[in-house]
Amino acid sequence: MCPEPDHQQQEGYAAEPAARHAAPPAPEHVDWEALRAKAIDIMGRAYAPYSNFPVGVAGIVDDGRVVAGCNVENAAYGVGLCAECGMVSELHATGGGRLVAVSCVGGDGQPLMPCGRCRQLLWENGGPECLLLTPEGVLPMREVLPQAFGPDNLTAAAHPA
């Protein structure tokens, strides 16, 4: 398990503290059950009165922090916030960094595939090697979102060769 910046232990990551922007942990070095338990816990705080589909997500950051989020719906349906939006907001609000492993769950506590918008969020904030616990097992984002569009595409367009 990795310490937070204040050296308190957090569940979800069984390796030594990661250096900022280090390679992601191997799937077997992630405590997926603890990460899923954090996602289930935060899912219990979701505000989903319209869909009755609560979602929770938890992710490990490259410095060992664990960030989490839940979905928050709105009567104007299209402006609801996915759980991953809350997690990424916490990521940046608590110091930034890169996501290295993520677990997303639905109301039954089982792994849930993020929607397309949220896959893009995970790509932008974790990159191609970020690990995602899916209904079919642990996959890197490069397999979840092949041929993804990201910041490199914008840089290439702004500075053509």
Side-chain angles (χ1 to χ4, degrees):
M1 297 199 298
C2 288
E4 290 184 72
D6 66 357
H7 298 5
Q8 291 179 345
Q9 293 293 316
Q10 245 193 26
E11 294 182 20
Y13 193 36
E16 292 300 315
R20 181 72 65 169
H21 306 293
E28 64 271 12
H29 292 142
V30 175
D31 185 348
W32 291 105
E33 283 304 311
L35 196 59
R36 192 169 135 257
K38 177 69 173 175
I40 290 169
D41 177 58
I42 196 118
M43 181 263 304
R45 300 178 205 156
Y47 178 71
Y50 307 105
S51 71
N52 292 312
F53 194 84
V55 177
V57 65
I60 301 168
V61 183
D62 58 1
D63 64 5
R65 284 176 294 135
V66 174
V67 292
C70 60
N71 58 322
V72 178
E73 295 180 348
N74 189 292
Y77 294 130
V79 295
L81 297 175
C82 294
E84 294 84 349
C85 295
M87 178 184 67
V88 167
S89 181
E90 182 179 348
L91 169 71
H92 290 283
T94 61
R98 302 290 285 168
L99 295 168
V100 296
V102 174
S103 174
C104 181
V105 299
D108 62 0
Q110 295 304 306
L112 179 67
M113 282 301 288
C115 70
R117 170 187 171 191
C118 292
R119 292 179 198 198
Q120 181 69 29
L121 276 173
L122 296 178
W123 181 272
E124 294 238 357
N125 292 279
E129 301 307 316
C130 179
L131 301 173
L132 178 65
L133 180 58
T134 76
E136 295 186 5
V138 176
L139 296 173
M141 283 303 299
R142 67 178 144 60
E143 291 182 31
V144 174
L145 192 61
Q147 300 183 39
F149 180 87
D152 292 344
N153 299 98
L154 295 174
T155 301
H159 305 287

